[in-house]
Amino acid sequence: MRTKSVAIFTIVSGLILLGIGSAILLTPEGFHASNGIALQKNASLMSEIRAPGGLLFASGLLITIGSFRDRLRSQSVKLATLVYGTFGLARLLSMILDGMPSQGVIGATVIELTVAALGLVILARKSNPLTGPTPIAATARRNPKHLSNI
């Protein structure tokens, strides 16, 4: 993985989730009102709204931490891709089943699917043997005498 571009991806995607997660968790009425959604003061409804906010916040925290820890970076990319991809695809399904939402929600869908696609590109490059050292080259770097046996 190119560490600088992956670190930028995880920092940005993590900070976005931290911001959105904290807004949903702490001020769900205001957050949803920005998209024309009026929430009722109902303890059960507010619990159902705040719970995914907590999950988004925690995911954003883990993704952001992975930006600064090499050994967690791959997992951070996978988590970002999963979270953004799931939200984006679920919104697409909702558009099919329920109709078109507000422009803000459509914009969120575009951002979510774009971040997920970027994550898939990063993961594909990481697992593509053509973009990294070949097994023979990697072995040769560790033990040059091993090449004579190949």
Side-chain angles (χ1 to χ4, degrees):
M1 273 191 213
R2 291 188 176 111
T3 54
K4 186 174 182 178
S5 61
V6 175
I8 291 169
F9 171 81
T10 53
I11 288 171
V12 171
S13 62
L15 289 176
I16 291 170
L17 288 180
L18 279 170
I20 291 172
S22 62
I24 294 171
L25 188 59
L26 302 174
T27 59
E29 298 94 345
F31 179 81
H32 288 290
S34 67
N35 287 313
I37 302 167
L39 298 179
Q40 301 172 0
K41 280 290 187 182
N42 175 298
S44 296
L45 174 64
M46 296 310 289
S47 177
E48 288 296 312
I49 297 293
R50 290 181 199 270
L55 179 61
L56 292 176
F57 182 85
S59 297
L61 185 61
L62 290 172
I63 293 165
T64 303
I65 289 169
S67 302
F68 304 103
R69 307 241 187 236
D70 288 340
R71 63 186 174 88
L72 298 177
R73 198 160 290 142
S74 178
Q75 290 85 352
S76 292
V77 172
K78 290 174 186 173
L79 180 58
T81 304
L82 176 68
V83 170
Y84 282 94
T86 302
F87 266 77
L89 291 173
R91 289 185 199 276
L92 285 178
L93 177 63
S94 178
M95 288 177 196
I96 293 167
L97 297 176
D98 306 317
M100 295 305 285
S102 70
Q103 290 297 315
V105 174
I106 293 170
T109 305
V110 170
I111 291 168
E112 290 158 354
L113 293 174
T114 300
V115 172
L118 289 172
L120 289 173
V121 168
I122 290 169
L123 293 171
R125 285 187 177 164
K126 177 186 175 241
S127 64
N128 185 347
L130 297 176
T131 60
T134 63
I136 293 173
T139 302
R141 262 190 264 131
R142 285 192 306 266
N143 185 0
K145 292 180 183 179
H146 183 69
L147 275 180
S148 61
N149 297 333
I150 298 177

